[in-house]
Amino acid sequence: MNPRSVVVTGAGRGIGRAITLELAHAGFDVIGTVRSEDRGEALRAEVAGTGAAVRTVLLDVADPTSCVQAFTRIAGMTGGGPWAVVNNAGFAQPGAVEDVDDEQVRQQLETNLVAPARIARLVLPAMRDRRAGRIVNVSSIAGRVSLPMLGWYCASKRGLESVTDALRMETEPFGVKVSLVEPGSYGTGIWEAGADLLPDEHASAYGDQYAAAGEVLRGVRNLPGPRPVAQAVHKALTARRPQPRYLVGGGARSTAVLDAVAPTAASDRVKQLATGLRTAPPRVTRALARLRGR
Ligand SMILES: NC(=O)c1ccc[n+]([C@@H]2O[C@H](COP(=O)([O-])OP(=O)(O)OC[C@H]3O[C@@H](n4cnc5c(N)ncnc54)[C@H](OP(=O)(O)O)[C@@H]3O)[C@@H](O)[C@H]2O)c1
């Protein structure tokens, strides 16, 4: 086993791509998983263009057979199994709880919650035998703070945090270190893709919110790039004593603090205002307009 071999799931785009570049340049033997040959070829070419290297393997994390096949192949490529895994692949299913059907719920939980646990089961026997290994699960500030219109995404990440906390305690005596990375919002394809998954605004009691949310999600252009998330993953892999949690970004840190200290009724109100479920009282709207006019 190469002591620096790391599997990154969902490596072809967004945060996974940033993690792949960060780790490949830090000298790790990165195996990036992708869902298509084309994406793999593009990733290998892009990393090679920057003077580093990555190997790729096909994997759909939501498909148990694909997971077994991919990790059998990876065991062959790494001499018995990778030293570390970064469970990054994921997506955000938006919609009011009333509008998201069972199949969409299953796909959300399968991808963001069940798959990282399944992958842990596939890599842990070799990690325990070697008494060395690391697992980094990419969660979100949404794993700590629930938001309306993203209830199932938040549930998937909250569940991932619970399972990861248990896993960390269970595997520590075997020398396997487990961390969570909890990013705030970063500019990747996840929000535009989420807009395409919004329920039909014409067939929903929440149609007005969906129309507004669709506009916001499709217009998300000013978010920072995902490199800070990749740097946090790098820290989780290289720290002698990795932290259980890495909150990434000022927005995520302030949201976590505010949500923990504010009374629930107050934080509910702020989240409802932010998602258009409530409108601000006229005097607040007037005060905001005055501020904007300055
Ligand atoms: N961006 C943010 O603001 C943010 C904030 C907090 C947490 N996160 C988390 O960060 C992770 C990466 O998100 P991102 O922002 O980079 O999103 P993204 O740009 O949409 O990329 C998602 C990645 O996951 C892969 N993926 C999705 N479903 C998959 C499946 N069933 N099997 C294998 N791969 C799958 C995609 O592969 P394809 O290319 O094949 O579609 C893609 O590589 C997610 O877990 C997300 O929840 C993101």
Side-chain angles (χ1 to χ4, degrees):
M1 191 260 323
N2 180 335
R4 304 268 285 174
S5 56
V6 182
V7 175
V8 179
T9 67
R13 294 193 285 129
I15 290 174
R17 179 170 150 275
I19 296 170
T20 298
L21 282 161
E22 185 79 22
L23 298 182
H25 280 278
F28 284 94
D29 169 20
V30 183
I31 298 172
T33 81
V34 288
R35 282 194 286 186
S36 74
E37 292 288 3
D38 285 354
R39 186 80 78 191
E41 207 176 304
L43 180 66
R44 291 194 304 273
E46 185 189 352
V47 177
T50 66
V54 61
R55 297 185 281 173
T56 59
V57 166
L58 289 180
L59 170 63
D60 178 349
V61 299
D63 174 353
T65 308
S66 171
C67 289
V68 171
Q69 286 169 346
F71 279 89
T72 303
R73 176 138 188 256
I74 289 166
M77 292 162 76
T78 53
W83 170 71
V85 174
V86 181
N87 283 303
N88 161 76
F91 75 100
Q93 172 65 59
V97 173
E98 184 181 343
D99 285 346
V100 180
D101 68 32
D102 285 358
E103 194 38 50
Q104 291 168 316
V105 168
R106 285 195 190 97
Q107 191 63 20
Q108 179 73 100
L109 297 181
E110 186 72 35
T111 305
N112 290 10
L113 168 59
V114 178
R118 174 164 50 234
I119 289 170
R121 285 202 304 279
L122 290 167
V123 296
L124 271 170
M127 290 182 178
R128 279 191 293 97
D129 282 353
R130 290 194 300 262
R131 301 195 73 78
R134 295 205 182 184
I135 296 175
V136 180
N137 287 340
V138 179
S139 176
S140 166
I141 180 63
R144 296 196 188 200
V145 176
S146 196
L147 294 168
M149 303 297 158
L150 271 176
W152 282 110
Y153 176 65
C154 297
S156 72
K157 294 297 189 182
R158 181 76 67 108
L160 179 65
E161 302 230 340
S162 290
V163 168
T164 306
D165 284 337
L167 186 69
R168 184 182 62 253
M169 293 182 267
E170 289 161 5
T171 60
E172 193 259 350
F174 296 97
V176 179
K177 295 173 178 164
V178 177
S179 297
L180 281 160
V181 169
E182 302 167 302
S185 285
Y186 286 89
T188 67
I190 196 166
W191 305 120
E192 286 91 335
D196 293 340
L197 297 175
L198 275 165
D200 179 1
E201 67 188 67
H202 303 293
S204 168
Y206 309 88
D208 289 350
Q209 281 79 39
Y210 295 158
E215 269 175 44
V216 171
L217 291 172
R218 289 191 183 91
V220 173
R221 294 225 166 76
N222 295 327
L223 290 173
R227 178 132 195 252
V229 187
Q231 290 170 322
V233 170
H234 188 188
K235 269 192 210 151
L237 291 175
T238 49
R240 205 161 64 84
R241 285 207 192 90
Q243 295 171 28
R245 288 178 155 68
Y246 293 84
L247 256 177
V248 190
R253 280 192 286 273
S254 53
T255 303
V257 171
L258 283 176
D259 204 70
V261 298
T264 304
S267 73
D268 280 2
R269 193 59 61 93
V270 170
K271 292 169 195 168
Q272 286 174 316
L273 287 169
T275 46
L277 280 162
R278 271 180 184 272
T279 44
R283 65 194 154 77
V284 175
T285 313
R286 280 196 300 273
L288 287 172
R290 274 200 301 277
L291 278 175
R292 274 196 289 269
R294 273 184 199 158

